[in-house]
């Protein structure tokens, strides 16, 4: 399966496209899409999308039981929900910085950034709506204010925009790779080099459509820089700087070079670890203020669970 995806940063209406490879020929389109979309959606919802013409094959409407053929091009525009009202929720969040244009949060591990179809509560967006009331609308009804994302089980710094002008500025900075984003990660193994750059394109994994991998097939340019901070024999503590911002980029790149993140249930070895989720923390976030152009940079300390794990390994 080949895939191209337009990031939510690039368009409010999420556009997805796949080219069917041999292993998926004969599969129903509703099953294929349910497993292929990044967000967790029900098959019933996907069937509604197909029925309403949001999903097409080779540019034509089909039924939900359509059997795919090799080379079919599936196009899906994920529709904005009708009649969905997001509710502000008093979810505790740590505000690092806030003014009339932008807010920076130190997100706790386990908190999803924005709602998805069928899951409209318990997210950072719901918390932000309760905290600050005003958020930009560029990314649509389910993602107010959200300029970029970090994974549910990644902790650390994330910025959100309070108005459309601020959102456009921050999104442009991300696109131009001028935002300073540094992560701290604990990985398996002893890295050979003290520093280096991973320049390897990332796309959908053809064997598991919810995962990403380094591939030349319909992939996107992806660059991660790393510096070793501390070595523990079987583990290494590293600082990672994102030049690009692909989905699961750090997790995929570290697996690619043979050093997956500790505790990563999808790309690593999660058994026997003392953390729930990958040992990855967005520690530094720097950007130009969208109104004043002043450079703002923030740092967030490693969370307690990850610090405990590092200390445990350090003292072994």
């Amino acid at each position: 399966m080949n895939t191209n995806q337009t990031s939510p940063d690039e368009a409010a209406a999420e556009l997805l496209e796949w080219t069917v490879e041999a292993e998926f020929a004969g599969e129903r389109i509703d099953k294929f899409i349910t497993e292929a979309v990044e967000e967790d959606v029900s098959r019933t919802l996907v069937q509604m999308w197909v029925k309403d013409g949001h999903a097409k094959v080779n540019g034509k409407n089909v039924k939900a039981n359509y059997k795919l053929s090799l080379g079919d091009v599936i196009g899906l525009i994920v529709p904005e929900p009708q009649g969905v009202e997001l509710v502000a929720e008093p979810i505790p969040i740590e505000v690092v910085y806030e003014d009339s244009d932008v807010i920076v949060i130190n997100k706790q591990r386990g908190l999803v950034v924005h709602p998805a179809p069928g899951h409209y509560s318990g997210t950072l967006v719901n918390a932000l709506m309760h905290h600050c009331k005003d958020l930009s609308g560029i990314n649509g009804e389910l993602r107010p204010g959200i300029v970029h994302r970090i994974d549910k089980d990644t902790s650390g710094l994330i910025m959100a925009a309070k108005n459309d002008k601020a959102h456009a500025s921050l999104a442009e900075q991300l696109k131009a790779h001028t935002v300073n984003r540094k992560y701290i990660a604990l990985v398996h193994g002893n890295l050979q080099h003290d520093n280096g750059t991973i320049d390897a394109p990332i796309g959908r994994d053809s064997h598991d459509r919810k995962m990403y991998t380094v591939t030349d097939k319909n992939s996107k340019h992806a660059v991660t820089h790393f510096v070793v901070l501390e070595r523990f024999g079987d583990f290494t503590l590293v600082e990672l700087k994102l030049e690009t911002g692909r989905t699961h980029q750090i997790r995929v790149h570290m697996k690619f070079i043979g050093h997956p993140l500790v505790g990563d249930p999808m790309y690593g070895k999660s058994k026997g670890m003392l953390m729930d989720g990958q040992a990855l923390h967005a520690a530094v976030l720097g950007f130009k203020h969208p109104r004043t152009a002043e450079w703002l940079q923030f740092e967030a300390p490693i969370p307690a669970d990850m610090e405990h794990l590092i200390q445990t390994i350090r003292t072994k």
Side-chain angles (χ1 to χ4, degrees), residues 270-292:
S270 59
K271 288 186 178 178
M273 285 299 147
L274 304 176
M275 270 185 52
D276 183 15
Q278 61 272 4
L280 182 63
H281 176 65
V284 176
L285 179 63
F287 56 91
K288 279 187 178 180
H289 189 277
R291 185 181 299 273
T292 68

Side-chain angles (χ1 to χ4, degrees), residues 37-57:
V37 294
E38 186 176 326
E39 309 294 354
D40 184 17
V41 298
S42 70
R43 193 161 171 178
T44 301
L45 179 60
V46 171
Q47 288 170 347
M48 289 176 59
W49 289 348
V50 176
K51 182 181 178 181
D52 293 341
H54 296 295
K56 299 179 186 292
V57 176

Side-chain angles (χ1 to χ4, degrees), residues 171-227:
E172 183 57 36
Q173 291 180 56
L174 283 163
K175 187 177 179 181
H177 310 310
T178 58
V179 176
N180 187 25
R181 289 178 289 173
K182 292 182 180 179
Y183 291 70
I184 304 296
L186 185 67
V187 303
H188 287 277
N190 194 345
L191 269 74
Q192 246 185 326
H193 305 286
D194 290 337
N195 55 74
T197 296
I198 307 164
D199 186 343
I202 291 176
R204 293 272 185 175
D205 188 327
S206 61
H207 302 292
D208 186 337
R209 284 166 280 177
K210 290 192 180 296
M211 293 179 66
Y212 290 80
T213 190
V214 170
T215 176
D216 291 326
K217 287 185 177 180
N218 286 344
S219 53
K220 293 184 177 180
H221 180 58
V223 178
T224 306
H225 307 282
F226 70 85
V227 176

Side-chain angles (χ1 to χ4, degrees), residues 58-69:
N58 305 322
K60 297 179 180 179
N61 291 332
V62 295
K63 293 184 178 180
N65 64 356
Y66 173 84
K67 298 289 184 67
L68 298 170
S69 298

Side-chain angles (χ1 to χ4, degrees), residues 3-19:
T3 175
N4 278 323
Q5 179 173 350
T6 298
S7 162
D9 296 343
E10 298 168 345
E14 198 168 4
L15 172 63
L16 299 167
E17 187 176 280
W18 302 270
T19 301

